[in-house]
Each structure stands twice: as structure tokens, then as C-alpha cells.
């Protein structure tokens, strides 16, 4: 168990560019979550997957954001035409609903996005 | 909809003193409550959780929290602070056991004074 891995850890981009973040969950976990955390705030839910199915999306997830989990393993979060307001830490978490999981999310270290 | 309020964005205590971090929640149904800790440059990790049963729950590193339904509170305590407790602490709520989607508070940064 190597934990939840996120890449890249830091991304600086210019406004209008596209960026993509990758999350590799704990291998046996079938649920994967994306959260966004801005300075001085707690994490805010964006979306989650059970296996490859995207089950819920927050209203925070505008049409410039898209998330995928094509084979039910790793996930990508893409932001198109980035805006300065997208600057935040993007957190990925995973959980296992098939083995008596008791509601704990396992978080990665996050991917920090800075939009200039 | 559920929400979480953490009173005090910054708390400072002396090493060896009591740690008390406050959390109040709002939920239309019996909630599941969590405390997560975030150390510098690390991911969030679970300290403790309340789902059902005993209202006083014990977590890692000597922390505990008590669910008080009448006060809609889930305050986090530790009898004696240690320098290694310096971190940011987040209270979170979820509506049901089958969905781990969490609503977080804004966090409390704990500083330990030597």
C-alpha cells in the first residue's frame, strides 16, 4: 500500500491554458474523490467515482472541468481555459466500499495549481 | 444540507496544556462526524470518527472527541499538547454511512508554544 499519489505536485500555468492532474488511488479502493481547497478554506467536494462511473458532480465543477476514471483505477482532472480563480490545491482521495470500510477517506498530498 | 462551523481559525496552546478545538455541525439527519489533521506538506489523515454507538470516541495521538447531539457539537480535545501536534485540523460531516462525501469546516491551525 503506497497511499494515494497525485501528479504533478505543483503546476504554474498562464490564464487560458489547459492543465491536467492525475491521481492514483490505493490499489484496492473502488471509490475515488476529487476535492478543491483554497487558501483559508476547508476542502470542497468536486466529484466522485465508483469504479469507472462518475456518480456525483458538484455545482463547483463548471463545464471547463472534466474528470475521468477510464478503467476504474487512476483518474484525471482536466481544467480547460484556466482562470485565476482556479488557483487552488486539488486533492484526491480514495476509499473502499467493499470490505467494511467505515467512512474513512485516504487523501493524497494534493496538486497545487497557480494560474498567472 | 449539512454544514460545519469551526470556531477559531487559529488556536495557540502551551506545550503540556489542554487542547480544545471546537466544531459545531448542522444536519437534517443524524450525522457521521470526522476530524482530519493536515501536517505541513502532507495529505489529510483521519484522526477519529463518530458513526454510531459510544459518543466519546478516541483517535490517534491521544486525541478524543465527544458527540453531543443536544449541542450539535463534536469538539476535539487532547489533555496535554505536544510540539508534534502543530498542524491544521478539519472537522467534517457526512450524511450517511454509504457515502463518504464529506463537508469540511474551514479548519483550525493549532500552534504549540514551547
Amino acid at each position: 500500500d503506497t497511499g494515494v499519489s497525485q501528479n504533478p505536485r505543483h503546476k504554474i500555468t498562464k490564464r487560458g491554458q489547459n492543465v491536467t492532474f492525475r491521481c492514483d488511488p490505493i490499489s484496492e479502493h473502488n471509490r475515488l474523490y476529487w476535492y478543491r481547497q483554497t487558501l483559508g478554506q476547508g476542502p470542497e467536494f468536486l466529484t466522485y467515482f465508483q469504479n469507472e462511473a462518475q456518480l456525483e458532480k458538484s455545482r463547483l465543477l463548471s463545464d471547463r472541468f472534466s474528470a475521468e476514471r477510464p478503467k476504474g483505477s487512476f483518474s484525471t482532472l482536466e481544467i480547460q481555459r484556466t482562470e485565476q480563480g482556479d488557483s487552488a490545491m486539488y486533492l484526491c482521495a480514495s476509499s473502499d466500499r467493499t470490505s467494511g470500510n467505515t467512512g474513512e477517506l485516504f487523501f493524497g498530498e494534493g496538486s497545487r495549481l497557480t494560474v498567472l | 444540507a449539512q454544514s460545519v462551523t469551526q470556531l477559531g481559525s487559529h488556536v495557540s496552546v502551551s506545550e503540556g496544556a489542554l487542547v480544545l478545538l471546537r466544531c459545531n455541525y448542522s444536519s437534517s439527519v443524524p450525522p457521521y462526524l470526522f476530524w482530519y489533521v493536515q501536517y505541513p506538506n502532507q495529505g489529510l489523515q483521519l484522526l477519529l470518527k463518530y458513526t454510531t454507538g459510544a459518543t466519546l470516541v478516541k483517535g490517534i495521538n491521544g486525541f478524543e472527541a465527544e458527540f453531543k447531539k443536544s449541542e450539535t457539537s463534536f469538539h476535539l480535545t487532547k489533555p496535554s499538547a505536544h510540539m508534534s501536534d502543530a498542524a491544521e485540523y478539519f472537522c467534517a460531516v457526512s450524511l450517511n454511512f454509504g457515502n463518504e462525501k464529506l463537508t469540511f469546516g474551514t479548519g483550525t491551525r493549532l500552534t504549540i508554544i514551547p
Side-chain angles (χ1 to χ4, degrees):
Chain A
D1 179 357
T2 58
V4 178
S5 177
Q6 294 189 243
N7 289 286
R9 294 290 311 280
H10 303 275
K11 179 71 176 179
I12 300 174
T13 191
K14 294 182 178 179
R15 186 179 56 183
Q17 298 295 304
N18 299 342
V19 297
T20 300
F21 300 113
R22 175 178 169 128
C23 173
D24 288 89
I26 294 172
S27 59
E28 63 270 25
H29 285 186
N30 59 353
R31 284 197 173 184
L32 186 148
Y33 295 75
W34 285 100
Y35 282 79
R36 182 175 70 184
Q37 186 177 15
T38 54
L39 199 61
Q41 299 297 317
E44 297 172 294
F45 169 79
L46 292 179
T47 187
Y48 89 93
F49 294 82
Q50 178 157 314
N51 299 314
E52 66 274 11
Q54 189 173 18
L55 296 187
E56 187 173 346
K57 293 193 290 186
S58 163
R59 287 171 298 193
L60 293 175
L61 213 65
S62 76
D63 56 7
R64 296 184 298 105
F65 288 70
S66 62
E68 294 182 343
R69 195 183 183 197
K71 297 183 179 179
S73 57
F74 73 91
S75 175
T76 58
L77 177 68
E78 181 182 16
I79 309 173
Q80 296 182 324
R81 305 181 303 282
T82 52
E83 302 173 355
Q84 289 183 326
D86 297 331
S87 295
M89 179 76 85
Y90 290 86
L91 302 173
C92 178
S94 67
S95 70
D96 179 7
R97 290 294 300 133
T98 59
S99 61
N101 170 272
T102 54
E104 178 176 359
L105 293 184
F106 295 82
F107 283 85
E109 295 178 344
S111 293
R112 182 172 296 282
L113 173 64
T114 301
V115 181
L116 302 177
Chain B
Q2 69 275 26
S3 65
V4 172
T5 301
Q6 292 184 241
L7 295 177
S9 58
H10 292 85
V11 171
S12 296
V13 301
S14 298
E15 189 175 16
L18 171 72
V19 175
L20 171 61
L21 304 183
R22 299 179 185 274
C23 172
N24 288 87
Y25 69 90
S26 171
S27 175
S28 57
V29 298
Y32 296 94
L33 296 160
F34 306 81
W35 277 98
Y36 279 80
V37 60
Q38 188 172 33
Y39 298 104
N41 299 317
Q42 294 187 28
L44 289 154
Q45 59 181 271
L46 182 68
L47 263 183
L48 50 79
K49 60 182 181 284
Y50 168 78
T51 53
T52 58
T55 56
L56 181 65
V57 293
K58 296 184 184 298
I60 61 172
N61 301 336
F63 284 92
E64 61 183 37
E66 186 171 10
F67 169 59
K68 292 187 176 181
K69 183 178 178 180
S70 62
E71 299 178 8
T72 61
S73 68
F74 191 57
H75 301 330
L76 181 71
T77 60
K78 181 174 180 177
S80 178
H82 191 273
M83 295 300 295
S84 61
D85 294 328
E88 187 142 25
Y89 293 79
F90 293 93
C91 183
V93 61
S94 72
L95 279 186
N96 60 67
F97 192 65
N99 181 352
E100 293 86 13
K101 186 180 79 172
L102 298 175
T103 298
F104 285 87
T106 52
T108 298
R109 182 167 298 280
L110 177 64
T111 300
I112 310 299
I113 303 167

